[in-house]
Amino acid sequence: MTGGAVHSPLRDAPDGRLPLPDADVVLGNGLRVVVCSAPVVPLVEIRLTVPYAATEPGEVARCQLLAAVLLRGTAHRDADGYDAALAAHGATLNAAADADKLTVAGHTMADTLPAVLALLAETVRAPRLTRDVVLPEREALARRVRLATHQPAALAQHALLRRRYGEEAAARRQPAPEQAAACTPDDLAELHARHLGARGAVLVLVGDLRPEEAVAAVTDTFGAWEAGPTAGAPEVPSWFPGGPLREVERPGAVQSVIRLAAPALPRTDPGYPALHLAQLVFGGSFASRLVTRLREEKGYAYQLGSGVESVPGASTLMVEADTAAEHTVPALAVIKTELERMAAEPPSVREVDAARSYAAGSTATAMSSPGALASGLANLLHAGVGSDWLHNWGPLLAGVPHDAVVEAAHRFFRPARITGVVVADEAAVAPLRLDDTGELAF
Amino acid sequence: MRTVAAIGQRLALSGHLTRPMLARMIRTQLRRLVLDNGLRILLAPNPVGASVGVAVHYGVGFRTEPEGRTGLAHLFEHLVFQGGRDAAPEGYLPRVQRAGGFGDARTRQDVTVYYAAAPASALEMLLALEADRMRSPGISERTLRTQTAVIDEEIRLMVRNRPYGAFPWVLPRVLHSRAENTRDGYGESADLAAFDVPLCERFFADHYGPGNAVLTLTGAFDPAAAERLVRGHFEDLPARPPVAAPDTHETLPDRERRLTVTDPHAGPHAVAVGYRMPDPVTERADYLAHLVLAALLGQGRQALLRRGPAAAAKVSSLSVGCGLFGLPLDTTGPDLLTLFAVHEGEQGAEDVLASLDGTLEALARDEAEAGLLRATTARWAAGALRELGTPGTRAQLLGLREALFGEAELTLALPELVRTGVTGEQVSRAAARLASSHRAVVRFAPAEAAAGVTERAAREQAAA
């Protein structure tokens, strides 16, 4: 991939396929730059992804604090001065981090892209890691982590991590408030030196730009970013077995949050497209079996569906539904019946064809928004596929034989492969309780 | 048939416009036509990309639905979303998705909007589906029952089962007086339970005629071809006289109104504040100054309520916005400027209010620093432009301002109006107006903290 090419801007392909990126190059320091011209509005979308593996206890909290501090000034500018400079260009940038990566996402007015890239490079290379910045931010982070524990969906997500990977591995992927509160400026300096290097990082730019000028601006501003140590290989989440669901008690909850998961195939696996189509037939579209039964026939849910969550080297099939306390037991029964039916009544040719045209067309439709295209590309590149993935998505789906979808339906949707959590008032799930272990039959 | 007029953009060009922005704005041409049956059509082609956006706004919402029938506009949205008779048995959204598109709908104070985006090749199909449901929505006893249940789940998800779920609905309830202006959009349970098919059919006849609708097309299409398609699908719909919207004039609040809500799901305490906005039509310049004021108070790191001596300590999250849903200029009725802050400890609310009051007074006294004003409006404008980059959203926002104000151009001009059209002096006056006006203050008390102090119910008290 080194070297790469800057193409002349490709216009939208006549067959409805998304164009290839206009540039996909790697700078001398190892930073990969992917650029798409999409002059819909006079803005440029910016997505920077720096991958790493945060494997030590408490490290993910330190990474999140580093992300919180990252846009609070640089060695040369204080927080107000830094944000004022961004805002003057119409720019908004937000940083976030998890156990696999730090990301900066935002946008700027098109004609100030070079200046905003310079501001971003300045803080990525030399963030302001002084006590006056770090101490208030670590308090704020601890408060945010605590605040999230009151959101039923966040509670469910944490519990599902524990259910899938066990307490210890889940703790490494999830920050605790006390860990956030314990970080020091020195910790962050060490973390910055260890994780925030150019090697392996990816910068995606999408919008009203000339590709060669954009690449030149990135080279000017990020060319001197130190390569840093070779990024450790991302920690691939381990396979997890199916089993009873875990109850998370939320007294007084009038709606239960159901989150189910099963191991699936990584994005890079040749079998992924077939799995994706099977998933769309199951619960991934409005016409899907699960949405039809649970929402449009039973009225048991407003928000529900299935999807595939991808990280480098692994994917997880997710099934979600929020349902009234009194509908929890029957809703779980419907979900189980539909999972079983994927093998008993495999996806028909008609269902698969509908899923195929939905998958290809809706991706192109969604990606006509520059912001969505930038996020989509950044996520896909992080998950390990090429920058041509979106361009080839339609043909890739077209090439999936019906048999392969039927096989994926048999293989991935068996209830025995599923585990999960239900965040609910205890009365809502009482009939399912296996004993006093907090486990629920599914 | 009435006129077919091509209307170019008339923008206040101020010399600050950047090269691409100017070029793009001028390239966008809006074309209007009105069919004999009264349907207003807005064509807003944008030659970049391969998608189209379609929105249909009906001139009825939860503020203008019939008295004693609260929640009907929203329930009806769910029913109509299923599609018309010709879309059966598959239904509207499965058809749109199979064509590679997506669609959704929203019920707001004065309008109900159905919008979709899809590959350009699906334009005719989208139009046919919209004409179909404008002609004959598939309302049945069964869908009525199911969608009432789905809405019950929606209310649990959006209001009853989440922390601070009473926000933002509680603010108009406390600040306004007229029943129409204090509704929450979802409706009273008793009203919801009483809906039947004849009532829905009556609602359709009264409010869903072509004369009460605006159809907006955006994205990659040829205007002449699109006009032919629109006429082909919509011209034979019979005209129906729309029922006039009720008069919902709301007097200004005459005192500060305070309420404490006991929240069973809240962790930390929180406070919400609502101010009455200037009228979006007769006081447009003031309305825009309030928009800029809200951005100065709460947008980004450099927001006045987040930094400097006046900033309240121990605030975990803070937002300030115009419009009940954070979208400005989306109702012709009484509109709100809102603040919401999650804070530590019961006393924290007073700190937030003191910070707000002190900042408003300072801004009323001394104009905001010019650099800060410029940076704040530049960032706001870029954010507003960004929304126009998605065909479905673009159609929705153009049609919204056309339906409410007959002014689709406002959607395109708004970023520039905010960026260069509001002076520091106007913002000072807005701050003075807020500082001297009567507002609503709602505190959210976690159930555990409140249990010892008061009953497990909301209590209302007049301010001192």
Side-chain angles (χ1 to χ4, degrees):
Chain A
M1 169 185 13
T2 305
V6 179
H7 310 283
S8 60
L10 251 179
R11 293 286 43 93
D12 302 282
D15 52 2
R17 290 169 70 177
L18 284 158
L20 284 164
D22 297 303
D24 183 353
V25 299
V26 178
L27 305 187
N29 57 7
L31 172 65
R32 182 176 179 183
V33 185
V34 178
V35 176
C36 298
S37 162
V40 183
V41 284
L43 301 173
V44 175
E45 296 286 338
I46 301 168
R47 302 289 184 276
L48 175 67
T49 308
V50 187
Y52 50 69
T55 51
E56 294 171 17
E59 191 172 0
V60 69
R62 294 196 288 281
C63 290
Q64 292 200 344
L65 184 57
L66 181 61
V69 167
L70 197 66
L71 300 165
R72 299 288 176 263
T74 67
H76 318 292
R77 281 173 228 261
D78 67 12
D80 289 348
Y82 185 81
D83 193 56
L86 282 177
H89 301 310
T92 297
L93 295 176
N94 292 298
D98 59 24
D100 301 325
K101 62 186 182 300
L102 184 143
T103 55
V104 180
H107 59 268
T108 176
M109 292 303 297
D111 57 351
T112 53
L113 176 64
V116 170
L117 289 175
L119 283 164
L120 177 56
E122 193 177 307
T123 191
V124 165
R125 296 186 60 198
R128 196 173 182 87
L129 301 178
T130 53
R131 292 178 61 81
D132 64 311
V133 174
V134 173
L135 268 45
E137 287 301 331
R138 77 181 185 189
E139 261 187 65
L141 174 61
R143 279 199 299 268
R144 281 200 301 277
V145 172
R146 263 187 245 115
L147 191 58
T149 61
H150 298 280
Q151 291 288 350
L155 262 183
Q157 197 193 340
H158 301 174
L160 187 58
L161 263 184
R162 292 198 297 275
R163 191 63 179 158
R164 283 155 71 183
Y165 305 120
E167 296 295 332
E168 193 252 351
R172 276 188 283 122
R173 306 189 75 84
Q174 195 63 53
E178 54 277 13
Q179 293 167 344
C183 296
T184 66
D186 287 348
D187 290 338
L188 294 193
E190 183 274 332
L191 197 71
H192 176 260
R194 189 149 50 90
H195 284 331
L196 282 207
R199 201 196 320 268
V202 181
L203 179 62
V204 174
L205 301 175
V206 178
D208 190 0
L209 48 76
R210 295 192 183 90
E212 50 303 337
E213 286 177 10
V215 171
V218 176
T219 308
D220 283 351
T221 50
F222 281 87
W225 183 11
E226 297 75 12
T230 304
E235 186 187 22
V236 176
S238 54
W239 180 88
F240 57 90
L245 313 184
R246 167 82 61 187
E247 174 188 356
V248 180
E249 211 181 304
R250 186 165 178 263
V254 296
Q255 195 172 47
S256 304
V257 181
I258 299 169
R259 297 291 183 268
L260 310 181
L265 295 170
R267 277 267 169 181
T268 46
D269 193 285
Y272 178 84
L275 163 68
H276 189 85
L277 290 173
Q279 181 274 125
L280 289 176
V281 171
F282 172 73
S285 67
F286 202 77
S288 67
R289 295 172 169 195
L290 186 66
V291 177
T292 302
R293 283 290 306 285
L294 205 57
R295 180 181 150 130
E296 295 302 294
E297 288 175 24
K298 299 284 189 184
Y300 283 169
Y302 170 70
Q303 181 169 285
L304 75 164
S306 66
V308 182
E309 180 194 273
S310 290
V311 295
S315 285
T316 306
L317 174 67
M318 312 283 275
V319 181
E320 308 187 349
D322 294 358
T323 189
E326 60 270 29
H327 296 151
T328 310
V329 173
L332 278 165
V334 169
I335 294 171
K336 185 175 182 187
T337 303
E338 288 304 326
L339 285 166
E340 285 165 342
R341 202 156 71 84
M342 287 295 279
E345 289 172 47
S348 67
V349 170
R350 188 181 154 77
E351 282 177 309
V352 173
D353 285 346
R356 220 190 292 270
S357 55
Y358 169 55
S362 67
T363 301
T365 301
M367 298 295 157
S368 66
S369 150
L373 177 56
S375 297
L377 269 174
N379 292 338
L380 286 166
L381 294 173
H382 179 67
V385 299
S387 63
D388 57 355
W389 171 272
L390 289 170
H391 179 68
N392 292 331
W393 182 226
L396 196 61
L397 291 166
V400 176
H402 177 249
D403 289 354
V405 182
V406 171
E407 197 201 314
H410 271 275
R411 188 173 153 204
F412 292 101
F413 293 80
R414 280 181 294 116
R417 295 186 74 251
I418 303 273
T419 188
V421 300
V422 183
V423 178
D425 187 85
E426 56 153 354
V429 290
L432 302 175
R433 203 164 292 131
L434 289 171
D435 40 45
D436 53 4
T437 60
E439 292 195 330
L440 306 174
F442 178 62
Chain B
M1 167 200 349
R2 274 183 267 164
T3 62
V4 178
I7 298 180
Q9 286 309 291
R10 273 174 304 181
L11 294 176
L13 302 179
S14 67
H16 291 287
L17 277 177
T18 59
R19 169 196 59 81
M21 184 190 243
L22 184 63
R24 206 82 56 218
M25 285 297 189
I26 288 174
R27 198 189 301 165
T28 301
Q29 296 277 317
L30 296 182
R31 242 179 101 170
R32 292 181 166 88
L33 50 137
V34 181
L35 302 186
D36 285 346
N37 57 22
L39 179 67
R40 286 159 288 165
I41 291 135
L42 187 66
L43 303 177
N46 191 20
V48 181
S51 305
V52 289
V54 169
V56 180
H57 288 79
Y58 292 94
V60 65
F62 62 80
R63 201 171 65 86
T64 52
E65 66 199 359
E67 205 182 339
R69 307 294 187 197
T70 63
L72 182 53
H74 177 232
L75 172 74
F76 201 71
E77 174 223 296
H78 275 247
L79 299 180
V80 170
F81 192 71
Q82 307 285 315
R85 301 243 160 86
D86 291 352
E90 208 179 355
Y92 166 81
L93 191 53
R95 282 175 179 252
V96 173
Q97 288 193 335
R98 195 150 42 85
F102 60 85
D104 208 340
R106 289 178 183 177
T107 306
R108 294 302 189 229
Q109 289 97 323
D110 309 321
V111 295
T112 304
V113 56
Y114 302 81
Y115 61 98
S121 57
L123 177 62
E124 176 158 21
M125 191 203 72
L126 290 182
L127 294 174
L129 286 168
E130 292 300 351
D132 179 29
R133 58 186 175 185
M134 195 179 287
R135 177 179 295 112
S136 54
I139 306 167
S140 71
E141 193 55 49
R142 193 175 146 270
T143 47
L144 178 62
R145 259 199 326 275
T146 313
Q147 292 306 313
T148 304
V150 170
I151 287 170
D152 178 64
E153 295 287 355
E154 182 180 354
I155 296 170
R156 288 173 198 241
L157 183 76
M158 306 303 286
V159 181
R160 294 180 54 212
N161 200 46
R162 63 162 55 173
Y164 322 115
F167 180 81
W169 306 108
V170 68
L171 285 177
R173 181 153 67 81
V174 173
L175 188 67
H176 300 327
S177 303
R178 281 189 88 108
E180 294 89 342
N181 298 326
T182 59
R183 288 176 192 155
D184 73 1
Y186 295 115
E188 303 295 329
S189 312
D191 289 351
L192 277 170
F195 295 155
D196 55 19
V197 170
L199 183 67
C200 292
E201 282 170 348
R202 174 74 193 277
F203 186 79
F204 173 74
D206 287 348
H207 300 286
Y208 271 62
N212 201 29
V214 174
L215 167 67
T216 307
L217 275 58
T218 59
F221 63 83
D222 170 63
E227 185 184 332
R228 279 194 299 278
L229 289 178
V230 168
R231 288 186 185 285
H233 286 282
F234 289 89
E235 228 165 20
D236 66 342
L237 287 171
R240 288 203 300 274
V243 169
D247 170 30
T248 55
H249 176 76
E250 176 77 36
T251 54
L252 288 173
D254 56 357
R255 65 194 164 93
E256 178 162 307
R257 307 225 12 206
R258 293 198 170 212
L259 178 75
T260 298
V261 174
T262 301
D263 190 320
H265 304 300
H269 292 256
V271 63
V273 184
Y275 291 94
R276 178 77 173 269
M277 285 285 284
D279 187 273
V281 176
T282 59
E283 301 176 290
R284 176 69 55 79
D286 292 324
Y287 191 104
L288 296 178
H290 279 66
L291 255 187
V292 173
L293 174 60
L296 277 169
L297 292 174
Q299 172 191 276
R301 164 72 206 173
Q302 57 163 5
L304 294 173
L305 296 184
R306 279 206 186 84
R307 56 164 203 162
K314 298 190 187 295
V315 170
S316 335
S317 95
L318 179 141
S319 58
V320 183
C322 291
L324 191 59
F325 305 97
L327 176 69
L329 296 162
D330 79 337
T331 175
T332 58
D335 204 0
L336 294 171
L337 185 150
T338 70
L339 174 147
F340 181 75
V342 178
H343 54 81
E344 303 281 306
E346 203 177 344
Q347 179 56 30
E350 292 309 320
D351 296 344
V352 170
L353 293 173
S355 162
L356 174 61
D357 291 339
T359 306
L360 288 177
E361 277 162 30
L363 273 175
R365 200 171 50 237
D366 303 310
E367 284 184 20
E369 192 255 315
L372 175 66
L373 182 65
R374 261 201 311 279
T376 300
T377 55
R379 178 175 273 167
W380 193 94
L385 273 174
R386 184 169 189 261
E387 305 217 309
L388 301 179
T390 308
T393 310
R394 194 181 180 99
Q396 215 192 127
L397 293 176
L398 285 167
L400 173 69
R401 272 64 183 251
E402 183 71 6
L404 292 179
F405 309 114
E407 243 186 304
E409 291 81 2
L410 184 57
T411 290
L412 298 173
L414 193 57
E416 212 42 36
L417 288 172
V418 165
R419 198 166 75 94
T420 59
V422 177
T423 66
E425 198 260 323
Q426 287 174 311
V427 176
S428 279
R429 263 191 289 139
R433 178 165 169 169
L434 286 198
S436 66
S437 69
H438 300 294
R439 63 188 174 187
V441 176
V442 177
R443 292 154 179 270
F444 293 79
E448 310 93 85
V453 185
T454 176
E455 294 293 303
R456 279 180 155 254
R459 68 191 153 99
E460 192 164 354
Q461 69 194 39

